[in-house]
Amino acid sequence: MIILVINCGSSSIKYQLLDMKNDDVFDLMAKGLVEKIGLPSGILTHKPTGKDPVRKELAIPDHKVGMQLVLDELVAPETGVLSSFDDIEAVGHRIVQGADFFSGSAIVDEDVMSKIAICCDFAPLHNPAHILGIRAMQHVLPTVPQVVVFDTAFHQTMPAYNYMYGLPYKYYEQYHVRKYGAHGTSHQFVAGKAAKLAGIDLQNSKIITCHLGNGSSITAVQNGKCLDTSMGFTPLAGMIMGTRCGSIDPNIVPYLMKKENISPDDMTTLMNRKSGFLGVSGVSSDCRELDAAIAEGNERAKLALKIFTHDVIKIIGSYIAEMDGVDLIVFTAGIGENNPRLRRRVCENFGYMGLKFDYEANAAPGDDKVISAPDSKVKVMVVSTNEELVIARDTMHLVLGNQE
Ligand code: ADP
C-alpha cells in the first residue's frame, strides 16, 4: 500500500512516500521538505530513492500550493517515483495535539476536523498548520482517505494522579488544563522495538524511553502503556531543550513579564524560542555546536549541557521510583542516538541500582544496540526512532480496516 506521510508545520511540509508491504517491511520511495511557505522565496527539496535529489527555489504562497508541488515532484517524468497521483492509496498526517479527544489514530471526517480545531488552543503553533495541511491535501487528492496520528494519543493511558495539576479543578473542567505529553508516537515505537530486540515481554515490563532531540521528553512505560511523561499541557514542560526552558518555577513567568514589561505572547516566545541551550549558552540550540564551544572553553555552553544531563538523570530517577524499578532504559532521537558522552554521563548515575555500562558498545557506531554489560541488572539500549513508519502503519491499518 503506497502511503504519503505528511508532517505540516506553520511554514513547512515534511513528507515521506512509503510503500508498505506489512508493518515491518516497507520501501521508502521518496522523502522531502517544503520550506519557507508564505515567504517571498520558498524551497522544495525532494529526495527520490535511487535518483538524484531535486532542489527548487520558488514562491510558495500557501500550503495548498506546497502540497501540489510535492505531488508534482512525486510524478515528475525524470525524478518522480509514481506514474500517477492515483497510485497514492492513503495519506497519514502527524498531529501534535489531540488532547483527551483521541487515544488512537483516526480517519479524517468533519467531526475529527472539528476536534483537531478545538485542540488549536493547546498547540497554537502546530495544530492550525496541521489543519491547513489536511485541507490542502483534501483539495488536491479529494478521493484519497486521510488518517491523523496524534503525538498525544499514547499518553492517554496516564492515570489522573499523573496528568492532573494542583490547580483549581474547575480549570480542568472548563479549559482542559491537564498534562497531555508529546512525542507519544516515538515513545510507543521505541519501547516496542527495544523490548522486541532485548527479548523483553512488553506487556510485563518497566521501560523508560528518552526521546532526546531538539525537543526532548522522557516517558515511563509500564506494561506497554504510558504511566507518566515529562512534557505537560504543552511541550514546554520537562527538561531544558534546544530553545525551550523546560519546567521552571511558575512564579518566574509573571515576575519576568512585569520586569521586562512584556505580553503573554512575548513571554511564550521567550520560553519556547529564546531559552534552553540557546538561552543559557548564548551560542546555539544545537548540541553539536555546544560541544564545539565547550572544546573552546565556553563555560556557559558547558553549563547548558550540564543542566540537560542532570534534568535527564532526575527524570529517569523519578520514573524508576514511580515504577518501583526499571528493566530497560532506551535512548532515541538526535541527541539520544548520536551523543555517546551524554548517555555515559547519565548511565553512570545509576550504578547504585546495578546498571553496568558497556563503554565500548556505547562508543561504537551503530543504530540499534545494547550499551549495558551482559550482567547489568538494567538493560540500556540505543534505538533509532521512526515516527513516519508508525504513521504509515496506523494509516494502513485504519484504511484497510475501513474497507473490510
Ligand atoms: P527534532 O526534535 O527537531 O526532530 P532531532 O531529533 O533531529 O531534533 O535532534 C536534534 C539534536 O540532535 C541537535 O541538538 C543535534 O545537535 C543533535 N544531533 C543530531 N544528529 C546528530 C549527530 N549525527 N551527532 C551528534 N548530534 C546530533
Side-chain angles (χ1 to χ4, degrees):
M1 182 175 218
I2 296 183
I3 295 173
L4 180 60
V5 174
I6 297 285
N7 182 354
C8 240
S10 53
S11 65
S12 69
I13 303 169
K14 277 190 210 151
Y15 63 93
Q16 282 194 10
L17 188 72
L18 297 160
D19 185 4
M20 299 294 292
K21 315 284 183 201
N22 61 42
D23 270 0
D24 299 308
V25 182
F26 61 92
D27 290 325
L28 175 64
M29 300 174 75
K31 65 178 182 177
L33 175 64
V34 179
E35 295 169 272
K36 301 193 177 178
I37 297 173
L39 295 179
S41 178
I43 304 169
L44 168 94
T45 320
H46 177 67
K47 293 181 180 164
T49 304
K51 296 184 178 181
D52 288 340
V54 180
R55 189 176 189 279
K56 287 183 180 166
E57 280 191 35
L58 71 173
I60 307 169
D62 56 32
H63 286 73
K64 224 180 265 178
V65 174
M67 290 294 183
Q68 190 64 55
L69 280 171
V70 171
L71 292 175
D72 289 345
E73 272 323 312
L74 292 175
V75 299
E78 293 284 310
T79 48
V81 290
L82 297 174
S83 48
S84 129
F85 296 164
D86 297 338
D87 295 342
I88 299 172
E89 294 170 81
V91 181
H93 297 262
R94 174 203 180 207
I95 310 290
V96 162
Q97 180 57 269
D100 33 19
F101 293 115
F102 299 98
S103 57
S105 304
I107 293 191
V108 172
D109 60 22
E110 284 311 307
D111 178 52
V112 165
M113 290 301 283
S114 67
K115 285 173 178 155
I116 297 173
I118 295 173
C119 296
C120 285
D121 263 1
F122 326 134
L125 300 176
H126 294 100
N127 272 37
H130 301 326
I131 292 174
L132 285 177
I134 299 168
R135 290 293 184 212
M137 207 30 106
Q138 283 175 329
H139 180 80
V140 289
L141 290 180
T143 57
V144 175
Q146 313 218 22
V147 167
V148 278
V149 180
F150 299 90
D151 273 11
T152 47
F154 180 59
H155 301 307
Q156 278 297 302
T157 53
M158 266 186 294
Y161 58 81
N162 279 338
Y163 71 67
M164 287 299 292
Y165 295 115
L167 289 164
Y169 197 82
K170 64 179 180 184
Y171 298 129
Y172 166 61
E173 295 174 313
Q174 283 177 5
Y175 306 129
H176 306 272
V177 176
R178 51 157 285 181
K179 181 191 275 196
Y180 294 111
H183 295 142
T185 315
S186 176
H187 289 291
Q188 182 175 19
F189 177 75
V190 297
K193 181 172 166 187
K196 202 168 169 186
L197 290 170
I200 288 173
D201 174 14
L202 183 65
Q203 302 312 323
N204 188 19
S205 64
K206 295 169 181 174
I207 300 177
I208 295 174
T209 47
C210 307
H211 178 113
L212 310 178
N214 193 27
S216 295
S217 66
I218 299 183
T219 296
V221 184
Q222 192 160 26
N223 304 331
K225 293 196 174 109
C226 171
L227 174 72
D228 203 354
T229 193
S230 61
M231 283 179 169
F233 178 59
T234 72
L236 186 58
M239 72 210 74
I240 184 174
M241 303 176 216
T243 59
R244 297 184 195 130
C245 58
S247 296
I248 58 172
D249 180 342
N251 266 333
I252 296 169
V253 177
Y255 177 78
L256 277 184
M257 286 174 69
K258 281 181 203 153
K259 286 282 181 198
E260 292 280 301
N261 193 22
I262 55 177
S263 67
D265 282 352
D266 290 341
M267 190 63 203
T268 306
T269 304
L270 188 156
M271 293 187 292
N272 280 282
R273 302 238 188 248
K274 299 181 183 168
S275 299
F277 294 166
L278 176 66
V280 174
S281 71
V283 173
S284 171
S285 62
D286 191 292
C287 202
R288 283 169 290 195
E289 290 184 26
L290 290 192
D291 277 334
I294 292 169
E296 286 168 7
N298 187 311
E299 285 299 319
R300 272 171 47 192
K302 198 168 167 183
L303 175 63
L305 275 194
K306 218 160 169 99
I307 298 173
F308 180 68
T309 309
H310 283 263
D311 278 353
V312 174
I313 291 169
K314 285 181 269 189
I315 296 169
I316 292 178
S318 69
Y319 289 169
I320 293 174
E322 198 178 3
M323 292 195 288
D324 190 15
V326 63
D327 304 314
L328 173 62
I329 298 173
V330 188
F331 289 94
T332 196
I335 299 174
E337 290 171 39
N338 297 299
N339 194 321
R341 200 168 55 193
L342 178 275
R343 296 194 299 255
R344 172 171 62 76
R345 289 198 175 139
V346 169
C347 289
E348 281 176 340
N349 267 56
F350 295 98
Y352 73 92
M353 48 177 297
L355 191 162
K356 286 193 193 160
F357 199 59
D358 183 338
Y359 290 87
E360 226 170 276
N362 181 52
D367 262 0
D368 297 332
K369 60 183 180 182
V370 177
I371 55 168
S372 50
D375 59 342
S376 177
K377 273 195 189 158
V378 180
K379 220 173 198 126
V380 186
M381 293 184 73
V382 181
V383 160
S384 59
T385 192
N386 191 342
E387 287 153 296
E388 288 79 11
L389 176 59
V390 181
I391 295 171
R393 278 179 185 167
D394 277 16
T395 303
M396 177 174 70
H397 288 299
L398 279 171
V399 171
L400 289 177
N402 208 34
Q403 285 167 357
E404 273 166 12

